[in-house]
Amino acid sequence: HEGVNTIKEMGRSIHEIPRQD
Amino acid sequence: DGCIQFTRHAGDVLLNFNRLRSRNILTDVTIQVDGQQFHAHKAILVACSGFFYSVFMDPENANLSAISLDPKVDPKGLSLLLDFMYTSCLNLNDSLVLATLNTAIYLQMEHVADTCHRFIKSRH
């Protein structure tokens, strides 16, 4: 992604799979 | 236009894979060593270990769902290296570093093996 403005997002990006059902 | 980079994404994805592993979901290979069994995802093993890359890239092993390692491999070393693959954290301590080093060499994980060497040197 050289040369493209990159904005950093610090929050979660995906759901979290739980330890159990 | 631009790119939004989610700085947590790689870690969040790996955490989810580790959750899948601990719940034995979508695991596709069982590693057997010294009577112990470890469930894992071939893709993670291939991504992290030269040994597993060679094994699973071989067309003859396309349907392999269980693999027995050399009996001299220490299950504790393997367990630590599997945890490393799925968490990026390598637990090293004096009592297990040699087993971890030998297993890392066997699994062709030379960067981890180098780290174990440096840890051993730093302790003497």
Side-chain angles (χ1 to χ4, degrees):
Chain A
H1 294 295
E2 294 80 9
V4 170
N5 295 327
T6 300
I7 302 161
K8 296 212 189 273
E9 165 53 54
M10 305 302 191
R12 280 200 71 85
S13 61
I14 50 174
H15 69 117
E16 180 175 345
I17 293 177
R19 291 181 196 280
Q20 286 103 16
D21 282 342
Chain B
D1 54 351
C3 156
I4 297 181
Q5 181 188 6
F6 283 76
T7 54
R8 290 188 50 161
H9 187 62
D12 288 345
V13 169
L14 199 57
L15 175 83
N16 278 348
F17 267 104
N18 203 30
R19 292 282 168 77
L20 292 175
R21 176 176 70 120
S22 59
R23 294 172 59 187
N24 202 18
I25 297 171
L26 291 174
T27 51
D28 52 7
V29 65
T30 301
I31 306 165
Q32 291 152 4
V33 58
D34 194 21
Q36 292 185 45
Q37 292 195 340
F38 302 86
H39 301 293
H41 303 90
K42 288 179 188 177
I44 299 287
L45 298 178
V46 166
C48 301
S49 152
F51 169 79
F52 285 119
Y53 178 86
S54 306
V55 167
F56 294 117
M57 286 304 106
D58 181 343
E60 282 180 25
N61 297 330
N63 300 315
L64 196 65
S65 60
I67 178 170
S68 294
L69 300 187
D70 188 310
K72 71 175 186 344
V73 171
D74 185 323
K76 288 195 279 302
L78 178 65
S79 178
L80 286 176
L81 290 175
L82 284 172
D83 288 342
F84 162 72
M85 292 183 197
Y86 279 86
T87 63
S88 73
C89 296
L90 180 66
N91 287 308
L92 282 185
N93 60 56
D94 290 321
S95 64
L96 279 176
V97 64
L98 268 182
T100 306
L101 169 61
N102 291 328
T103 309
I105 293 168
Y106 179 87
L107 294 181
Q108 297 167 36
M109 298 171 68
E110 66 263 24
H111 305 85
V112 171
D114 290 347
T115 300
C116 291
H117 270 306
R118 286 198 302 274
F119 177 88
I120 291 168
K121 271 190 218 139
S122 71
R123 307 300 275 180
H124 293 296

